[in-house]
Amino acid sequence: MTPKVLGAINRQIVAEFSASYSYLSMAAWCEHHKFTGASRWLRMQSAEEHAHALRLFDFVLARDHKVVLEPVPQPATEFDSIVDVFERALAQERSVSEQIDDIYHLAFQEKVFAAMAELQWFITEQVEEEKTVREIVARFHMVKDDPASLLDLDRELGARQPEPAAG
Ligand SMILES: [Fe+2]
Ligand SMILES: [Fe+2]
């Protein structure tokens, strides 16, 4: 591993913890506003981001390098609406996808093939996460302010099952 790639991966560990923290803050807002299904969904997503951070953490250690954990920024705590929550989640996923692409590009330039293999998993994961959140945003736009439909959608989000731990 080169110092540049190591630095980028260490920063990505913090970015994943930051995403986890941000989803947790969104979960708190939703719970407070009685969207308990959405809150459950977001809490689960927070746990997934935590697992992503640990995946990179373990990768750095497996390559016999040092993990450097930097401070995690404070996430947003105020949202305009439930749609706003998921729109911001989508923006967050898009920016994470770009970050992953950038690190992959860097690993390619520096010929760190093990990092490229590890990052491949993240590239695939980002495609899935962006798609999922984009669909949720679209559905919130469809139901608009219709209370019965909003409750249905919230209930549906609450039915999310935890994914089996990714190998
Ligand atoms: Fe992630
Ligand atoms: Fe994500």
Side-chain angles (χ1 to χ4, degrees):
M1 189 117 68
T2 66
K4 267 191 190 172
V5 172
L6 178 61
I9 293 179
N10 264 315
R11 281 190 296 280
Q12 191 58 33
I13 293 174
V14 178
E16 298 292 340
F17 277 124
S18 173
S20 173
Y21 217 32
S22 169
Y23 275 120
L24 195 59
S25 186
M26 290 171 180
W29 187 93
C30 286
E31 179 92 35
H32 186 69
H33 290 82
K34 312 305 171 220
F35 291 108
T36 51
S39 179
R40 187 180 134 84
W41 191 98
L42 290 158
R43 202 181 278 234
M44 236 173 253
Q45 191 58 35
S46 172
E48 279 211 10
E49 301 297 351
H50 188 268
H52 295 170
L54 291 187
R55 198 181 162 112
L56 291 172
F57 178 97
D58 286 337
F59 174 71
V60 169
L61 293 173
R63 300 307 292 157
D64 205 23
H65 287 291
K66 244 167 115 176
V67 167
V68 180
L69 293 176
E70 286 174 5
V72 177
Q74 183 182 16
T77 53
E78 289 303 328
F79 302 92
D80 297 336
S81 61
I82 183 85
V83 197
D84 183 40
V85 168
F86 282 93
E87 277 174 347
R88 290 212 230 170
L90 181 56
Q92 177 175 286
E93 289 303 338
R94 282 187 177 138
S95 91
V96 169
S97 297
E98 282 173 21
Q99 288 161 10
I100 299 283
D101 286 352
D102 288 347
I103 306 173
Y104 189 82
H105 186 224
L106 183 67
F108 172 75
Q109 285 174 324
E110 305 252 321
K111 298 188 169 70
V112 184
F113 300 115
M116 288 174 71
E118 179 62 30
L119 290 162
Q120 195 80 56
W121 184 89
F122 281 86
I123 291 173
T124 308
E125 177 72 6
Q126 281 311 117
V127 170
E128 195 50 45
E129 293 205 337
E130 272 192 50
K131 176 177 183 282
T132 304
V133 181
R134 196 182 306 114
E135 283 169 2
I136 296 172
V137 168
R139 297 183 64 194
F140 272 113
H141 281 296
M142 278 180 229
V143 307
K144 296 221 163 55
D145 294 326
D146 177 51
S149 307
L150 268 178
L151 278 175
D152 276 350
L153 186 47
D154 184 62
R155 196 173 302 122
E156 202 182 307
L157 288 172
R160 175 178 179 173
Q161 295 301 316
E163 277 168 37

